[in-house]
Amino acid sequence: MTNLNVQLPGLDLKNPIMPASGCFGFGKEYSQLYDLSALGAIMIKATTVETRLGNPTPRVAETASGMLNAIGLQNPGLQKVLGEELPRLEQYDVPIIANVAGTTTEDYVEVAKAISESPNVHALEINISCPNVKQGGITFGTDPDIARELTRAVKDVSSVPVYIKLSPNVTDIVSIAKAVEEGGADGITMINTLLGMRLDAKTGRPVIANITGGLSGPAVKPVALRMVYEVRKQTELPIIGMGGVADVNDVIDFLSAGANAVAVGTANFVNPFICPEIIGQLPGKLHELGYESIEELVGRSHRL
Amino acid sequence: MIKQERMVVTNQQEIAHHIFELTVQGELTGEMKAPGQFVHVRVADSFEPLLRRPISVASIDYESNQFTMIYRAEGRGTTLLSEKKAGDTVDILGPLGNGFPVEQAKQKAYLIGGGIGVPPLYELAKELNAKGIETVHILGFESKGAVFYEDKFRALGDTHIATVDGSHGTQGFVTHILNELPKDFDTYYSCGPTPMLEAVQWAYPEKQGFLSYEQRMGCGIGACFACVCRTTKSETDYIKVCSDGPVFPAGVVIS
């Protein structure tokens, strides 16, 4: 009997698969398609103190085996997430990882404190890496000192374990990982999107209204995998890996590189049933590879 | 209910310059509730191109479990789709969005379409006619070579064609024809480029109208927040074209 169970700080996961933040809204749309209780966890869309309208359209553009997006953290704001979105998710037997965003440390602290007290929020994912907002966001994720201090501030107020979402848009991701570990992070999620752009061939104008956007999809997987591998070499912190995961083999790759669990992002748009499909394929895949549990696979590339 | 299904292609043909008519068969057909809903099509099983394509439904045949899409093959994705032949299968997600409210028309309706916005109006015209509503069709195209379904619309009611270059019908946009027509209808329905929808709205401020919008989409089901539009109903909110629309009452969308 294969064991898909994974134990992480705050998270007793029945399997290691979860939809990534920003690609699943607050679960409402996908709940019309399948039972969300099948998922290991759900990383809900970023929540900010106030309602955010996000960026002008067009907000997405297709690229080779990937897509660019610049949604701009559109969300209904903390009070509506607490009052409507999280209670609606209580009907499912699935832990929620709440993604927290802001423009100042005070914003992050306010959202983290309030949202971590929700009964079905089992962990926080601190978004210090959104490339699509002009203030805050990525600046927190590219300077190790600022990342360490923000982690401390959030840890102080959170009643659940804190995972920090790292940006790939840095020279040395390991130094940021070490900094958030020093700041008291309980885990790391990685990677967020890679800053990119696309031009219209006829006019020369950027296709996305925001000019630049975050690149995701299968195109970014080799970068994400390399970064998970590098960070795993330098820290014992649990890692939830993501970046271009589109099938069960990609999940195996991330686990092998050192991720303890895996999030699926853009692939949900290509196949809205991708998460339950991968979960269904995992036992057979483990058996085929000669493993009996997810834990045996984690980090195996480092042991070869 | 939204389904994902590998549907079987029963027919594909080029019906105008780069305009293709694709008919598919499968259970998903039975889920369609209204004209103006759309489907999200995966054009290849590989990750290149990656995203699905939103395509409108031109006619539905519930008895044979088939529906027909009409699309313009202009980019890589739609060109790949145009290469599918009878017997091939296509991965389709749908039906998506809310369609045109057929029950809102009382006696006579204007159906105003532009280019690739024309297809959903055909199923709408069929359903309105079936309810005994008189339909007048005002359809705009780039040029004669891009015109499709003219005879099919004529079979259902008075039909006027405009082409930008004047090679067929009236020269100019659909608004040139609208200026010449009486305002003796109770409801209008429109689908096409956003500037055209704006012009139609301006032409009939006193009439009940329903407009179908386009926007670049990610997921097609309302989760990704890519296809949003500002709304006149609230300064602090967006509406999503894919799941709140694509059809909205006139006066709701700020374009």
Side-chain angles (χ1 to χ4, degrees), chain A residues 25 29-30 53 57 59-60 62 64-65 71 74 246 269-271 273, chain B residues 4 47-48 50-53 215-216 219 221-225 228 238 240:
Chain A
E29 292 77 17
Y30 289 89
L53 282 177
T57 58
R59 293 172 164 190
V60 292
E62 193 171 56
S65 296
I71 306 296
Q74 184 182 346
F269 303 159
V270 181
N271 173 4
F273 297 91
Chain B
Q4 184 182 19
F47 293 128
E48 180 56 25
L50 182 66
L51 298 176
R52 288 170 177 271
R53 268 53 181 170
Q215 187 57 268
R216 214 176 284 249
C219 68
I221 61 172
C224 77
F225 294 75
V228 296
Y238 276 116
K240 298 170 197 165

PDB file of all heavy atoms in Angstrom, chain A residues 25 29-30 53 57 59-60 62 64-65 71 74 246 269-271 273, chain B residues 4 47-48 50-53 215-216 219 221-225 228 238 240:
ATOM      1  N   GLY A  25      -8.025  30.796  -7.656  1.00  0.00           N
ATOM      2  CA  GLY A  25      -8.933  31.723  -7.001  1.00  0.00           C
ATOM      3  C   GLY A  25      -9.074  31.360  -5.531  1.00  0.00           C
ATOM      4  O   GLY A  25      -8.085  31.076  -4.843  1.00  0.00           O
ATOM      5  N   GLU A  29     -14.601  28.162  -8.237  1.00  0.00           N
ATOM      6  CA  GLU A  29     -14.825  27.713  -9.610  1.00  0.00           C
ATOM      7  C   GLU A  29     -14.499  26.230  -9.763  1.00  0.00           C
ATOM      8  O   GLU A  29     -15.251  25.478 -10.383  1.00  0.00           O
ATOM      9  CB  GLU A  29     -13.984  28.544 -10.584  1.00  0.00           C
ATOM     10  CG  GLU A  29     -14.427  30.003 -10.692  1.00  0.00           C
ATOM     11  CD  GLU A  29     -13.986  30.872  -9.516  1.00  0.00           C
ATOM     12  OE1 GLU A  29     -13.077  30.454  -8.767  1.00  0.00           O
ATOM     13  OE2 GLU A  29     -14.562  31.962  -9.342  1.00  0.00           O
ATOM     14  N   TYR A  30     -13.372  25.812  -9.192  1.00  0.00           N
ATOM     15  CA  TYR A  30     -12.970  24.418  -9.339  1.00  0.00           C
ATOM     16  C   TYR A  30     -13.871  23.479  -8.527  1.00  0.00           C
ATOM     17  O   TYR A  30     -13.977  22.300  -8.840  1.00  0.00           O
ATOM     18  CB  TYR A  30     -11.490  24.241  -8.974  1.00  0.00           C
ATOM     19  CG  TYR A  30     -10.585  24.857 -10.023  1.00  0.00           C
ATOM     20  CD1 TYR A  30     -10.193  26.182  -9.944  1.00  0.00           C
ATOM     21  CD2 TYR A  30     -10.164  24.120 -11.123  1.00  0.00           C
ATOM     22  CE1 TYR A  30      -9.403  26.760 -10.923  1.00  0.00           C
ATOM     23  CE2 TYR A  30      -9.377  24.684 -12.110  1.00  0.00           C
ATOM     24  CZ  TYR A  30      -8.995  26.008 -12.006  1.00  0.00           C
ATOM     25  OH  TYR A  30      -8.217  26.582 -12.981  1.00  0.00           O
ATOM     26  N   LEU A  53      -7.986  46.037  -7.008  1.00  0.00           N
ATOM     27  CA  LEU A  53      -8.559  45.882  -8.346  1.00  0.00           C
ATOM     28  C   LEU A  53      -7.576  45.254  -9.318  1.00  0.00           C
ATOM     29  O   LEU A  53      -7.977  44.736 -10.356  1.00  0.00           O
ATOM     30  CB  LEU A  53      -9.016  47.239  -8.885  1.00  0.00           C
ATOM     31  CG  LEU A  53     -10.340  47.743  -8.314  1.00  0.00           C
ATOM     32  CD1 LEU A  53     -10.662  49.118  -8.851  1.00  0.00           C
ATOM     33  CD2 LEU A  53     -11.468  46.774  -8.661  1.00  0.00           C
ATOM     34  N   THR A  57      -6.143  45.441 -18.304  1.00  0.00           N
ATOM     35  CA  THR A  57      -6.047  44.317 -19.246  1.00  0.00           C
ATOM     36  C   THR A  57      -5.418  44.809 -20.546  1.00  0.00           C
ATOM     37  O   THR A  57      -5.473  46.013 -20.822  1.00  0.00           O
ATOM     38  CB  THR A  57      -7.440  43.738 -19.547  1.00  0.00           C
ATOM     39  OG1 THR A  57      -8.261  44.776 -20.069  1.00  0.00           O
ATOM     40  CG2 THR A  57      -8.060  43.142 -18.318  1.00  0.00           C
ATOM     41  N   ARG A  59      -4.119  41.131 -19.336  1.00  0.00           N
ATOM     42  CA  ARG A  59      -3.320  40.715 -18.192  1.00  0.00           C
ATOM     43  C   ARG A  59      -2.570  39.410 -18.438  1.00  0.00           C
ATOM     44  O   ARG A  59      -1.754  39.019 -17.605  1.00  0.00           O
ATOM     45  CB  ARG A  59      -4.249  40.490 -16.987  1.00  0.00           C
ATOM     46  CG  ARG A  59      -4.904  41.744 -16.459  1.00  0.00           C
ATOM     47  CD  ARG A  59      -5.936  41.373 -15.407  1.00  0.00           C
ATOM     48  NE  ARG A  59      -6.318  42.532 -14.610  1.00  0.00           N
ATOM     49  CZ  ARG A  59      -7.053  42.438 -13.502  1.00  0.00           C
ATOM     50  NH1 ARG A  59      -7.479  41.258 -13.086  1.00  0.00           N
ATOM     51  NH2 ARG A  59      -7.362  43.522 -12.827  1.00  0.00           N
ATOM     52  N   VAL A  60      -2.898  38.711 -19.489  1.00  0.00           N
ATOM     53  CA  VAL A  60      -2.194  37.463 -19.781  1.00  0.00           C
ATOM     54  C   VAL A  60      -1.760  37.435 -21.243  1.00  0.00           C
ATOM     55  O   VAL A  60      -2.360  38.082 -22.094  1.00  0.00           O
ATOM     56  CB  VAL A  60      -3.053  36.194 -19.513  1.00  0.00           C
ATOM     57  CG1 VAL A  60      -3.324  36.020 -18.041  1.00  0.00           C
ATOM     58  CG2 VAL A  60      -4.340  36.223 -20.313  1.00  0.00           C
ATOM     59  N   GLU A  62       0.216  34.452 -24.049  1.00  0.00           N
ATOM     60  CA  GLU A  62       0.839  33.143 -24.188  1.00  0.00           C
ATOM     61  C   GLU A  62       2.268  33.289 -24.685  1.00  0.00           C
ATOM     62  O   GLU A  62       2.566  34.181 -25.472  1.00  0.00           O
ATOM     63  CB  GLU A  62       0.026  32.302 -25.165  1.00  0.00           C
ATOM     64  CG  GLU A  62       0.410  30.854 -25.121  1.00  0.00           C
ATOM     65  CD  GLU A  62      -0.546  30.005 -25.930  1.00  0.00           C
ATOM     66  OE1 GLU A  62      -0.711  30.305 -27.110  1.00  0.00           O
ATOM     67  OE2 GLU A  62      -1.118  29.085 -25.372  1.00  0.00           O
ATOM     68  N   ALA A  64       6.045  30.643 -25.510  1.00  0.00           N
ATOM     69  CA  ALA A  64       6.398  29.269 -25.852  1.00  0.00           C
ATOM     70  C   ALA A  64       6.332  28.381 -24.604  1.00  0.00           C
ATOM     71  O   ALA A  64       7.073  28.603 -23.644  1.00  0.00           O
ATOM     72  CB  ALA A  64       7.787  29.216 -26.467  1.00  0.00           C
ATOM     73  N   SER A  65       5.425  27.416 -24.612  1.00  0.00           N
ATOM     74  CA  SER A  65       5.224  26.505 -23.473  1.00  0.00           C
ATOM     75  C   SER A  65       5.050  27.234 -22.149  1.00  0.00           C
ATOM     76  O   SER A  65       5.446  26.745 -21.099  1.00  0.00           O
ATOM     77  CB  SER A  65       6.382  25.507 -23.358  1.00  0.00           C
ATOM     78  OG  SER A  65       6.403  24.688 -24.480  1.00  0.00           O
ATOM     79  N   ILE A  71      -1.749  39.993 -13.223  1.00  0.00           N
ATOM     80  CA  ILE A  71      -3.083  40.206 -12.646  1.00  0.00           C
ATOM     81  C   ILE A  71      -3.016  41.356 -11.638  1.00  0.00           C
ATOM     82  O   ILE A  71      -3.898  42.193 -11.581  1.00  0.00           O
ATOM     83  CB  ILE A  71      -3.601  38.924 -11.948  1.00  0.00           C
ATOM     84  CG1 ILE A  71      -3.556  37.710 -12.899  1.00  0.00           C
ATOM     85  CG2 ILE A  71      -5.008  39.133 -11.380  1.00  0.00           C
ATOM     86  CD1 ILE A  71      -4.432  37.775 -14.107  1.00  0.00           C
ATOM     87  N   GLN A  74      -5.269  41.042  -7.677  1.00  0.00           N
ATOM     88  CA  GLN A  74      -6.688  41.367  -7.489  1.00  0.00           C
ATOM     89  C   GLN A  74      -7.297  40.425  -6.456  1.00  0.00           C
ATOM     90  O   GLN A  74      -7.164  39.206  -6.545  1.00  0.00           O
ATOM     91  CB  GLN A  74      -7.456  41.232  -8.805  1.00  0.00           C
ATOM     92  CG  GLN A  74      -8.916  41.654  -8.636  1.00  0.00           C
ATOM     93  CD  GLN A  74      -9.733  41.500  -9.901  1.00  0.00           C
ATOM     94  OE1 GLN A  74      -9.190  41.320 -10.990  1.00  0.00           O
ATOM     95  NE2 GLN A  74     -11.032  41.570  -9.759  1.00  0.00           N
ATOM     96  N   ALA A 246       3.222  20.039 -14.652  1.00  0.00           N
ATOM     97  CA  ALA A 246       2.088  19.770 -15.533  1.00  0.00           C
ATOM     98  C   ALA A 246       1.677  18.307 -15.563  1.00  0.00           C
ATOM     99  O   ALA A 246       0.635  17.970 -16.121  1.00  0.00           O
ATOM    100  CB  ALA A 246       2.409  20.243 -16.955  1.00  0.00           C
ATOM    101  N   PHE A 269      -5.079  25.717 -15.742  1.00  0.00           N
ATOM    102  CA  PHE A 269      -5.795  26.419 -16.811  1.00  0.00           C
ATOM    103  C   PHE A 269      -5.868  25.557 -18.070  1.00  0.00           C
ATOM    104  O   PHE A 269      -6.798  25.662 -18.855  1.00  0.00           O
ATOM    105  CB  PHE A 269      -5.099  27.741 -17.167  1.00  0.00           C
ATOM    106  CG  PHE A 269      -4.930  28.689 -16.009  1.00  0.00           C
ATOM    107  CD1 PHE A 269      -3.977  29.685 -16.047  1.00  0.00           C
ATOM    108  CD2 PHE A 269      -5.737  28.583 -14.879  1.00  0.00           C
ATOM    109  CE1 PHE A 269      -3.816  30.562 -14.989  1.00  0.00           C
ATOM    110  CE2 PHE A 269      -5.584  29.457 -13.809  1.00  0.00           C
ATOM    111  CZ  PHE A 269      -4.618  30.444 -13.868  1.00  0.00           C
ATOM    112  N   VAL A 270      -4.851  24.740 -18.267  1.00  0.00           N
ATOM    113  CA  VAL A 270      -4.791  23.886 -19.457  1.00  0.00           C
ATOM    114  C   VAL A 270      -5.727  22.694 -19.268  1.00  0.00           C
ATOM    115  O   VAL A 270      -6.455  22.300 -20.178  1.00  0.00           O
ATOM    116  CB  VAL A 270      -3.347  23.396 -19.695  1.00  0.00           C
ATOM    117  CG1 VAL A 270      -3.283  22.528 -20.934  1.00  0.00           C
ATOM    118  CG2 VAL A 270      -2.394  24.585 -19.803  1.00  0.00           C
ATOM    119  N   ASN A 271      -5.707  22.131 -18.082  1.00  0.00           N
ATOM    120  CA  ASN A 271      -6.560  20.995 -17.729  1.00  0.00           C
ATOM    121  C   ASN A 271      -7.073  21.207 -16.309  1.00  0.00           C
ATOM    122  O   ASN A 271      -6.345  20.983 -15.352  1.00  0.00           O
ATOM    123  CB  ASN A 271      -5.751  19.695 -17.815  1.00  0.00           C
ATOM    124  CG  ASN A 271      -6.546  18.506 -17.297  1.00  0.00           C
ATOM    125  OD1 ASN A 271      -7.718  18.622 -16.946  1.00  0.00           O
ATOM    126  ND2 ASN A 271      -5.898  17.362 -17.239  1.00  0.00           N
ATOM    127  N   PHE A 273      -8.759  19.588 -14.405  1.00  0.00           N
ATOM    128  CA  PHE A 273      -8.806  18.381 -13.567  1.00  0.00           C
ATOM    129  C   PHE A 273      -7.398  17.849 -13.271  1.00  0.00           C
ATOM    130  O   PHE A 273      -7.247  16.731 -12.799  1.00  0.00           O
ATOM    131  CB  PHE A 273      -9.631  17.293 -14.248  1.00  0.00           C
ATOM    132  CG  PHE A 273     -11.071  17.671 -14.454  1.00  0.00           C
ATOM    133  CD1 PHE A 273     -11.486  18.287 -15.632  1.00  0.00           C
ATOM    134  CD2 PHE A 273     -12.020  17.436 -13.470  1.00  0.00           C
ATOM    135  CE1 PHE A 273     -12.815  18.642 -15.821  1.00  0.00           C
ATOM    136  CE2 PHE A 273     -13.350  17.790 -13.653  1.00  0.00           C
ATOM    137  CZ  PHE A 273     -13.745  18.394 -14.833  1.00  0.00           C
TER     138      PHE A 273
ATOM    139  N   GLN B   4     -15.351  18.370 -19.285  1.00  0.00           N
ATOM    140  CA  GLN B   4     -14.205  18.314 -20.184  1.00  0.00           C
ATOM    141  C   GLN B   4     -14.348  17.002 -20.938  1.00  0.00           C
ATOM    142  O   GLN B   4     -14.520  15.951 -20.325  1.00  0.00           O
ATOM    143  CB  GLN B   4     -12.900  18.332 -19.384  1.00  0.00           C
ATOM    144  CG  GLN B   4     -11.671  18.374 -20.268  1.00  0.00           C
ATOM    145  CD  GLN B   4     -10.386  18.351 -19.454  1.00  0.00           C
ATOM    146  OE1 GLN B   4     -10.383  17.956 -18.291  1.00  0.00           O
ATOM    147  NE2 GLN B   4      -9.303  18.769 -20.049  1.00  0.00           N
ATOM    148  N   PHE B  47       2.412  20.969 -25.032  1.00  0.00           N
ATOM    149  CA  PHE B  47       2.331  22.230 -24.292  1.00  0.00           C
ATOM    150  C   PHE B  47       2.655  23.429 -25.178  1.00  0.00           C
ATOM    151  O   PHE B  47       2.954  24.512 -24.699  1.00  0.00           O
ATOM    152  CB  PHE B  47       3.267  22.198 -23.082  1.00  0.00           C
ATOM    153  CG  PHE B  47       2.822  21.212 -22.054  1.00  0.00           C
ATOM    154  CD1 PHE B  47       3.696  20.266 -21.555  1.00  0.00           C
ATOM    155  CD2 PHE B  47       1.518  21.228 -21.593  1.00  0.00           C
ATOM    156  CE1 PHE B  47       3.272  19.343 -20.611  1.00  0.00           C
ATOM    157  CE2 PHE B  47       1.083  20.318 -20.654  1.00  0.00           C
ATOM    158  CZ  PHE B  47       1.963  19.359 -20.160  1.00  0.00           C
ATOM    159  N   GLU B  48       2.656  23.203 -26.464  1.00  0.00           N
ATOM    160  CA  GLU B  48       2.944  24.281 -27.394  1.00  0.00           C
ATOM    161  C   GLU B  48       1.946  24.218 -28.539  1.00  0.00           C
ATOM    162  O   GLU B  48       2.050  23.299 -29.348  1.00  0.00           O
ATOM    163  CB  GLU B  48       4.391  24.142 -27.883  1.00  0.00           C
ATOM    164  CG  GLU B  48       4.849  25.177 -28.846  1.00  0.00           C
ATOM    165  CD  GLU B  48       4.708  26.590 -28.351  1.00  0.00           C
ATOM    166  OE1 GLU B  48       4.703  26.809 -27.126  1.00  0.00           O
ATOM    167  OE2 GLU B  48       4.572  27.469 -29.191  1.00  0.00           O
ATOM    168  N   LEU B  50       0.234  26.457 -25.360  1.00  0.00           N
ATOM    169  CA  LEU B  50      -0.124  25.979 -24.024  1.00  0.00           C
ATOM    170  C   LEU B  50      -1.596  26.172 -23.670  1.00  0.00           C
ATOM    171  O   LEU B  50      -2.253  25.240 -23.227  1.00  0.00           O
ATOM    172  CB  LEU B  50       0.745  26.704 -22.991  1.00  0.00           C
ATOM    173  CG  LEU B  50       0.545  26.285 -21.533  1.00  0.00           C
ATOM    174  CD1 LEU B  50       0.993  24.843 -21.322  1.00  0.00           C
ATOM    175  CD2 LEU B  50       1.311  27.209 -20.599  1.00  0.00           C
ATOM    176  N   LEU B  51      -2.098  27.372 -23.848  1.00  0.00           N
ATOM    177  CA  LEU B  51      -3.424  27.693 -23.316  1.00  0.00           C
ATOM    178  C   LEU B  51      -4.546  27.264 -24.258  1.00  0.00           C
ATOM    179  O   LEU B  51      -4.352  27.141 -25.466  1.00  0.00           O
ATOM    180  CB  LEU B  51      -3.533  29.201 -23.053  1.00  0.00           C
ATOM    181  CG  LEU B  51      -2.565  29.757 -22.010  1.00  0.00           C
ATOM    182  CD1 LEU B  51      -2.696  31.270 -21.921  1.00  0.00           C
ATOM    183  CD2 LEU B  51      -2.806  29.126 -20.644  1.00  0.00           C
ATOM    184  N   ARG B  52      -5.723  27.070 -23.667  1.00  0.00           N
ATOM    185  CA  ARG B  52      -6.910  26.766 -24.462  1.00  0.00           C
ATOM    186  C   ARG B  52      -7.367  28.011 -25.216  1.00  0.00           C
ATOM    187  O   ARG B  52      -6.990  29.125 -24.855  1.00  0.00           O
ATOM    188  CB  ARG B  52      -8.034  26.296 -23.530  1.00  0.00           C
ATOM    189  CG  ARG B  52      -7.811  24.928 -22.967  1.00  0.00           C
ATOM    190  CD  ARG B  52      -8.801  24.581 -21.867  1.00  0.00           C
ATOM    191  NE  ARG B  52      -8.565  23.230 -21.438  1.00  0.00           N
ATOM    192  CZ  ARG B  52      -9.131  22.158 -21.985  1.00  0.00           C
ATOM    193  NH1 ARG B  52     -10.022  22.286 -22.953  1.00  0.00           N
ATOM    194  NH2 ARG B  52      -8.825  20.951 -21.555  1.00  0.00           N
ATOM    195  N   ARG B  53      -8.190  27.799 -26.232  1.00  0.00           N
ATOM    196  CA  ARG B  53      -8.746  28.908 -27.008  1.00  0.00           C
ATOM    197  C   ARG B  53     -10.248  29.011 -26.760  1.00  0.00           C
ATOM    198  O   ARG B  53     -10.966  28.020 -26.965  1.00  0.00           O
ATOM    199  CB  ARG B  53      -8.528  28.656 -28.502  1.00  0.00           C
ATOM    200  CG  ARG B  53      -7.268  29.229 -29.121  1.00  0.00           C
ATOM    201  CD  ARG B  53      -6.018  28.865 -28.429  1.00  0.00           C
ATOM    202  NE  ARG B  53      -4.834  29.468 -29.062  1.00  0.00           N
ATOM    203  CZ  ARG B  53      -3.626  29.440 -28.524  1.00  0.00           C
ATOM    204  NH1 ARG B  53      -3.427  28.867 -27.353  1.00  0.00           N
ATOM    205  NH2 ARG B  53      -2.613  30.004 -29.138  1.00  0.00           N
ATOM    206  N   GLN B 215     -12.419  39.086 -24.309  1.00  0.00           N
ATOM    207  CA  GLN B 215     -11.269  39.506 -23.508  1.00  0.00           C
ATOM    208  C   GLN B 215     -10.288  38.333 -23.487  1.00  0.00           C
ATOM    209  O   GLN B 215     -10.689  37.183 -23.588  1.00  0.00           O
ATOM    210  CB  GLN B 215     -11.717  39.886 -22.096  1.00  0.00           C
ATOM    211  CG  GLN B 215     -10.682  40.499 -21.179  1.00  0.00           C
ATOM    212  CD  GLN B 215     -10.026  41.752 -21.688  1.00  0.00           C
ATOM    213  OE1 GLN B 215      -8.979  41.694 -22.323  1.00  0.00           O
ATOM    214  NE2 GLN B 215     -10.629  42.911 -21.414  1.00  0.00           N
ATOM    215  N   ARG B 216      -9.021  38.650 -23.397  1.00  0.00           N
ATOM    216  CA  ARG B 216      -8.026  37.586 -23.333  1.00  0.00           C
ATOM    217  C   ARG B 216      -8.220  36.771 -22.050  1.00  0.00           C
ATOM    218  O   ARG B 216      -8.378  37.351 -20.978  1.00  0.00           O
ATOM    219  CB  ARG B 216      -6.638  38.204 -23.330  1.00  0.00           C
ATOM    220  CG  ARG B 216      -5.606  37.392 -24.026  1.00  0.00           C
ATOM    221  CD  ARG B 216      -4.326  38.163 -24.022  1.00  0.00           C
ATOM    222  NE  ARG B 216      -4.344  39.241 -24.988  1.00  0.00           N
ATOM    223  CZ  ARG B 216      -3.606  39.245 -26.087  1.00  0.00           C
ATOM    224  NH1 ARG B 216      -2.821  38.242 -26.355  1.00  0.00           N
ATOM    225  NH2 ARG B 216      -3.649  40.275 -26.907  1.00  0.00           N
ATOM    226  N   CYS B 219      -8.074  30.896 -17.658  1.00  0.00           N
ATOM    227  CA  CYS B 219      -8.717  29.623 -17.304  1.00  0.00           C
ATOM    228  C   CYS B 219     -10.065  29.419 -17.974  1.00  0.00           C
ATOM    229  O   CYS B 219     -10.472  28.293 -18.208  1.00  0.00           O
ATOM    230  CB  CYS B 219      -8.872  29.527 -15.788  1.00  0.00           C
ATOM    231  SG  CYS B 219     -10.058  30.696 -15.090  1.00  0.00           S
ATOM    232  N   ILE B 221     -12.922  29.818 -16.595  1.00  0.00           N
ATOM    233  CA  ILE B 221     -13.975  29.453 -15.646  1.00  0.00           C
ATOM    234  C   ILE B 221     -14.116  30.449 -14.488  1.00  0.00           C
ATOM    235  O   ILE B 221     -14.923  30.244 -13.593  1.00  0.00           O
ATOM    236  CB  ILE B 221     -13.781  28.024 -15.080  1.00  0.00           C
ATOM    237  CG1 ILE B 221     -12.443  27.911 -14.332  1.00  0.00           C
ATOM    238  CG2 ILE B 221     -13.856  26.986 -16.197  1.00  0.00           C
ATOM    239  CD1 ILE B 221     -12.290  26.590 -13.593  1.00  0.00           C
ATOM    240  N   GLY B 222     -13.298  31.503 -14.497  1.00  0.00           N
ATOM    241  CA  GLY B 222     -13.469  32.534 -13.469  1.00  0.00           C
ATOM    242  C   GLY B 222     -12.445  32.521 -12.352  1.00  0.00           C
ATOM    243  O   GLY B 222     -12.535  33.318 -11.420  1.00  0.00           O
ATOM    244  N   ALA B 223     -11.446  31.649 -12.452  1.00  0.00           N
ATOM    245  CA  ALA B 223     -10.499  31.517 -11.337  1.00  0.00           C
ATOM    246  C   ALA B 223      -9.263  32.405 -11.468  1.00  0.00           C
ATOM    247  O   ALA B 223      -8.653  32.766 -10.467  1.00  0.00           O
ATOM    248  CB  ALA B 223     -10.056  30.055 -11.201  1.00  0.00           C
ATOM    249  N   CYS B 224      -8.893  32.778 -12.686  1.00  0.00           N
ATOM    250  CA  CYS B 224      -7.578  33.420 -12.851  1.00  0.00           C
ATOM    251  C   CYS B 224      -7.630  34.944 -12.872  1.00  0.00           C
ATOM    252  O   CYS B 224      -6.587  35.587 -12.794  1.00  0.00           O
ATOM    253  CB  CYS B 224      -6.870  32.883 -14.081  1.00  0.00           C
ATOM    254  SG  CYS B 224      -7.453  33.530 -15.662  1.00  0.00           S
ATOM    255  N   PHE B 225      -8.776  35.532 -13.013  1.00  0.00           N
ATOM    256  CA  PHE B 225      -8.925  36.998 -12.996  1.00  0.00           C
ATOM    257  C   PHE B 225      -8.206  37.691 -14.157  1.00  0.00           C
ATOM    258  O   PHE B 225      -7.794  38.841 -14.031  1.00  0.00           O
ATOM    259  CB  PHE B 225      -8.441  37.593 -11.658  1.00  0.00           C
ATOM    260  CG  PHE B 225      -9.263  37.196 -10.467  1.00  0.00           C
ATOM    261  CD1 PHE B 225      -9.154  35.936  -9.926  1.00  0.00           C
ATOM    262  CD2 PHE B 225     -10.147  38.086  -9.883  1.00  0.00           C
ATOM    263  CE1 PHE B 225      -9.913  35.553  -8.824  1.00  0.00           C
ATOM    264  CE2 PHE B 225     -10.921  37.721  -8.777  1.00  0.00           C
ATOM    265  CZ  PHE B 225     -10.797  36.449  -8.245  1.00  0.00           C
ATOM    266  N   VAL B 228     -10.963  40.421 -16.892  1.00  0.00           N
ATOM    267  CA  VAL B 228     -11.880  41.313 -16.182  1.00  0.00           C
ATOM    268  C   VAL B 228     -12.227  42.587 -16.967  1.00  0.00           C
ATOM    269  O   VAL B 228     -11.482  43.008 -17.843  1.00  0.00           O
ATOM    270  CB  VAL B 228     -11.286  41.733 -14.823  1.00  0.00           C
ATOM    271  CG1 VAL B 228     -11.131  40.531 -13.913  1.00  0.00           C
ATOM    272  CG2 VAL B 228      -9.954  42.425 -15.027  1.00  0.00           C
ATOM    273  N   TYR B 238     -14.534  44.418 -10.389  1.00  0.00           N
ATOM    274  CA  TYR B 238     -14.457  44.041 -11.781  1.00  0.00           C
ATOM    275  C   TYR B 238     -15.469  42.928 -12.020  1.00  0.00           C
ATOM    276  O   TYR B 238     -15.812  42.195 -11.091  1.00  0.00           O
ATOM    277  CB  TYR B 238     -13.077  43.448 -12.086  1.00  0.00           C
ATOM    278  CG  TYR B 238     -11.981  44.434 -12.399  1.00  0.00           C
ATOM    279  CD1 TYR B 238     -10.883  44.540 -11.570  1.00  0.00           C
ATOM    280  CD2 TYR B 238     -12.019  45.189 -13.560  1.00  0.00           C
ATOM    281  CE1 TYR B 238      -9.831  45.400 -11.883  1.00  0.00           C
ATOM    282  CE2 TYR B 238     -10.977  46.046 -13.883  1.00  0.00           C
ATOM    283  CZ  TYR B 238      -9.885  46.148 -13.042  1.00  0.00           C
ATOM    284  OH  TYR B 238      -8.863  46.975 -13.349  1.00  0.00           O
ATOM    285  N   LYS B 240     -16.001  39.468 -14.553  1.00  0.00           N
ATOM    286  CA  LYS B 240     -15.200  38.574 -15.385  1.00  0.00           C
ATOM    287  C   LYS B 240     -15.977  38.233 -16.650  1.00  0.00           C
ATOM    288  O   LYS B 240     -17.128  37.788 -16.558  1.00  0.00           O
ATOM    289  CB  LYS B 240     -14.899  37.289 -14.620  1.00  0.00           C
ATOM    290  CG  LYS B 240     -14.097  37.492 -13.361  1.00  0.00           C
ATOM    291  CD  LYS B 240     -14.069  36.189 -12.568  1.00  0.00           C
ATOM    292  CE  LYS B 240     -13.656  36.436 -11.141  1.00  0.00           C
ATOM    293  NZ  LYS B 240     -13.962  35.266 -10.301  1.00  0.00           N
TER     294      LYS B 240
END
